[in-house]
Amino acid sequence: LVVSGASVSGLAPPPLVPLLLETYGWRGALLLPPAISFNLVAAGALLRPMPPPRESSGPPKDRPGLMRLLPPPPFLRYALAFVLVDAGYYVPFVHGE
């Protein structure tokens, strides 16, 4: 059941694309998938793990400023790879109509 979500979601765009094109035009229809994905970023931000409690008596060795909010570099590379994969995956549904 968990893996079938990707297959079922692949069946939704073909009937949905003509409806979006009629309702919003081609420009609006191309803006909706990124808008939905952008909302998922906010949902994913809520899944950050809690930082472990500190027990050292020395000065904190935090990363400065906004770097504290970012995950480690290996995760950023992993996430960027999926962003690029998703950018190319949606093309057949858009141009199929």
Side-chain angles (χ1 to χ4, degrees):
L1 289 174
V2 172
V3 179
S4 68
S7 300
V8 172
S9 67
L11 296 174
L16 189 62
V17 168
L19 177 68
L20 292 175
L21 288 173
E22 291 174 13
T23 306
Y24 300 108
W26 67 272
R27 290 181 182 167
L30 286 176
L31 285 175
L32 283 175
I36 293 169
S37 296
F38 187 68
N39 286 320
L40 293 175
V41 169
L46 297 174
L47 298 176
R48 290 180 44 106
M50 297 291 292
R54 296 188 181 200
E55 296 179 6
S56 65
S57 61
K61 297 179 181 177
D62 277 343
R63 295 184 286 178
L66 292 175
M67 294 299 290
R68 286 183 297 184
L69 299 176
L70 294 175
F75 178 78
L76 288 176
R77 287 191 296 269
Y78 182 73
L80 178 63
F82 274 100
V83 167
L84 295 175
V85 166
D86 287 340
Y89 179 72
Y90 194 73
V91 171
F93 299 123
V94 173
H95 298 291
E97 181 59 30

